[in-house]
Amino acid sequence: MTIRLLLVDDDPLVRAGLTFMLGGADDLEIVGEGADGREVPELVARYAPDVVLMDIRMPHVDGLTATERLRALPGAPEVVVLTTFHADEQVLRALRAGAAGFLLKDTPPVEIVAAVRRVVAGDPVLSPAVTRQLMAHVAEEWDRPEPPRRATAVDRLAELADREREVAVSVGHGRSNAEIAAELYMSVPTVKAHVSRILAKLGLNNRVQIALLVHDAGLVDEEDGRSG
């Protein structure tokens, strides 16, 4: 299968560089380019990409706003946010909006290609270690989430069966499928099945959004307190 890519960045040199770097992959095709977030809906409708590589800083509509608008649409392509630096607040906003992950612009081409393939396969472009780092940042910024957000998160997670909730909490700790399987005494395929059901029940895009929802509900703090 050929993966269709849309590049959105206000710097033509960056777009040219990405086109050159990604052009050697047989299974990737850059179907279109945009210079601002406000162009994204039209470009997606015209080119039907599988993945959008989205810059954050653009003059009229920034990449985070464009991601939020795009991911709210049915059948939206996956979004990987491009950034020149690691800004936790921006990354978290992108992930909450449904982005499948983020990449630094100086990421080696082979890693960008691998990341795009992972996103299409349904895996967010975030390692468990990076997920834990983001969760730590959430803990600092949202030590006591606003009551409405926490109540909403608790209500949504109440839709899960007990075993699904256990898996969700483990995802909230940034654990991989293999780590969850060992911890909860189940097979890796069973963990994957639980994660898929959690995503479907809660209407989420990826496991990072599960982790953020679990933290908003206070379940990570709750489990840590029990184990301490």
Side-chain angles (χ1 to χ4, degrees), residues 6 8 36-45 52 54 58 66 70:
L6 174 66
V8 183
D36 192 81
R38 64 183 177 184
E39 303 174 30
V40 169
E42 178 184 349
L43 292 172
V44 167
V52 179
M54 183 92 72
M58 291 182 285
L70 178 60

Side-chain angles (χ1 to χ4, degrees), residues 157-168 194 197-198 201:
L157 290 171
E159 302 174 28
L160 302 179
D162 290 344
R163 203 58 166 163
E164 293 167 348
R165 175 187 163 111
E166 291 177 348
V167 171
H194 279 307
R197 283 196 293 272
I198 292 167
K201 280 188 177 182

Side-chain angles (χ1 to χ4, degrees), residues 44 49-50 69-79 205:
V44 167
D50 300 303
R69 294 174 180 174
L70 178 60
R71 292 300 300 170
L73 300 175
E78 299 292 351
V79 175
N205 291 284

Side-chain angles (χ1 to χ4, degrees), residues 1 37-38 55 58-60 66 72 77 112 115 164 186 205 212:
M1 182 188 75
R38 64 183 177 184
D55 185 23
M58 291 182 285
H60 297 99
I112 295 179
E164 293 167 348
M186 59 178 68
N205 291 284
L212 292 171

Side-chain angles (χ1 to χ4, degrees), residues 162-220:
D162 290 344
R163 203 58 166 163
E164 293 167 348
R165 175 187 163 111
E166 291 177 348
V167 171
V169 171
S170 292
V171 171
H173 281 279
R175 297 186 179 111
S176 67
N177 287 339
E179 290 170 334
I180 295 172
E183 179 183 65
L184 299 180
Y185 304 103
M186 59 178 68
S187 67
V188 172
T190 299
V191 174
K192 291 181 178 179
H194 279 307
V195 171
S196 295
R197 283 196 293 272
I198 292 167
L199 293 173
K201 280 188 177 182
L202 302 181
L204 301 176
N205 291 284
N206 54 55
R207 64 191 297 124
V208 177
Q209 286 192 321
I210 296 176
L212 292 171
L213 188 66
V214 166
H215 193 283
D216 281 350
L219 296 183
V220 172

Side-chain angles (χ1 to χ4, degrees), residues 81-97:
V81 172
L82 295 170
T83 181
T84 55
F85 59 98
H86 186 296
D88 288 344
E89 297 88 349
Q90 293 180 327
V91 172
L92 284 169
R93 180 181 166 192
L95 296 176
R96 288 185 188 279

Side-chain angles (χ1 to χ4, degrees), residues 120-139:
V120 172
D123 296 325
V125 188
L126 288 171
S127 68
V130 173
T131 301
R132 282 190 281 267
Q133 179 181 348
L134 289 176
M135 291 305 102
H137 180 77
V138 174

